[in-house]
Amino acid sequence: MTPETKVAVITGAASGIGRALAVHYANRGVHSVIGTFPGDPHDPEETLRLVKDAGGQTVIHEVDVRSTPSVDAFAERAVEEYGRLDYAVANAGILRNSPLGEMTDERWEDMLDVDLTGVLRTLRAGSARMTDGGAMVAVSSIAGGVYGWEEHAHYAAAKAGVLGLIRSVAAELGPRGIRANAVIPGLIETPQSLDPVNSLGPDGLQRAGRDIPWGRVGRPEEVASVIGFLTSDDAAYVTGQSLIVDGGLTIKMRA
């Protein structure tokens, strides 16, 4: 590891966008700590294998973004393993279907605890250990970030809240040279969106892809590369922004 080597922590890295980002960083020579939730059915060892196949260095660390001590220990792991922390990516999230009439306080609070407060915990822990000149990215969604989504009010509220959080954090940490941005993925083929109960499922994604100007839904790697850009020196003057990655879905007028 050279003095120029960067180090990243990524929550939700056992699959989907988080896994793709760990591999993207490996290809760029960025070391990482893979955050994985113990109850996640996806295997973080596969992410580890892909990173190593790309010539990268990473370690797996179990983290529950609902717990401040757990997130603090996760960020500290980067310092313990590599001696520094440069990038923090808040990617972990859950998705649950719940009509408004069935929206209990418990469902609402659980969603926001993961998808919004979990982002706060990740950014807070990361910035406390980050070298000046670091960068952070939070993953929002077009559901809440752009559109509403019926039967997903708690999810959309959390994802909308991420954008306000990012703008405020960017303003606060700017004097330290730490940048904070958000990505707003559109319809991306991830395990979450492939869930037919809580999201669109395979058939729904295929149908939706026909209405996207790019002609298909997105791939996790296409979001990961944007996150990679936002944390890189190529985006050195970009902070407090929310970048939509959706193949043109949100700019197409519907008849």
Side-chain angles (χ1 to χ4, degrees):
M1 182 170 174
T2 69
E4 293 77 28
T5 302
K6 303 296 186 181
V7 177
V9 292
I10 311 164
T11 62
S15 64
I17 294 169
R19 173 180 287 176
L21 180 60
V23 176
H24 176 88
Y25 277 149
N27 287 320
R28 283 182 42 203
V30 176
H31 297 350
S32 64
V33 179
I34 297 169
T36 179
F37 179 61
D40 191 331
H42 304 99
D43 186 4
E45 293 290 340
E46 177 62 14
T47 305
L48 180 65
R49 183 188 67 79
L50 291 170
V51 168
K52 289 186 174 180
D53 286 350
Q57 292 190 34
T58 191
V59 291
I60 297 171
H61 188 97
E62 289 189 350
V63 58
D64 183 352
V65 298
R66 295 171 296 189
S67 163
T68 291
S70 180
V71 176
D72 287 346
F74 171 61
E76 187 64 25
R77 181 69 183 277
V79 180
E80 293 171 355
E81 289 287 334
Y82 305 117
R84 62 186 294 167
L85 177 60
D86 302 278
Y87 309 147
V89 180
N91 171 68
I94 58 174
L95 177 62
R96 302 286 185 268
N97 183 75
S98 183
L100 187 61
E102 300 173 12
M103 183 73 71
T104 63
D105 288 356
E106 182 180 20
R107 289 183 181 182
W108 175 269
E109 290 164 3
D110 188 50
M111 177 65 69
L112 267 68
D113 199 17
V114 175
D115 285 23
L116 180 56
T117 312
V119 173
L120 166 67
R121 294 184 182 107
T122 303
L123 302 183
R124 182 176 61 198
S127 64
R129 294 159 178 83
M130 191 169 286
T131 57
D132 289 356
M136 304 189 292
V137 173
V139 178
S140 180
S141 170
I142 58 168
V146 180
Y147 293 141
W149 190 9
E150 66 274 16
E151 300 188 351
H152 290 82
H154 50 348
Y155 178 79
K159 293 301 187 180
V162 165
L163 305 184
L165 173 61
I166 280 293
R167 287 191 286 268
S168 298
V169 167
E172 182 173 338
L173 298 182
R176 283 184 56 193
I178 295 176
R179 298 179 295 105
N181 292 287
V183 292
I184 304 178
L187 298 178
I188 310 298
E189 190 173 350
T190 65
Q192 193 175 80
S193 65
L194 289 167
D195 178 354
V197 175
N198 296 298
S199 190
L200 298 181
D203 292 340
L205 278 179
Q206 185 177 24
R207 288 193 299 271
R210 302 185 192 121
D211 290 329
I212 296 173
W214 206 244
R216 59 169 175 80
V217 298
R219 305 184 182 99
E221 296 78 11
E222 292 168 321
V223 181
S225 64
V226 175
I227 297 173
F229 161 72
L230 288 172
T231 52
S232 75
D233 290 342
D234 289 337
Y237 201 56
V238 180
T239 194
Q241 303 305 305
S242 302
L243 184 54
I244 300 173
V245 187
D246 70 347
L249 172 63
T250 54
I251 53 88
K252 181 180 177 181
M253 181 181 293
R254 286 161 180 76

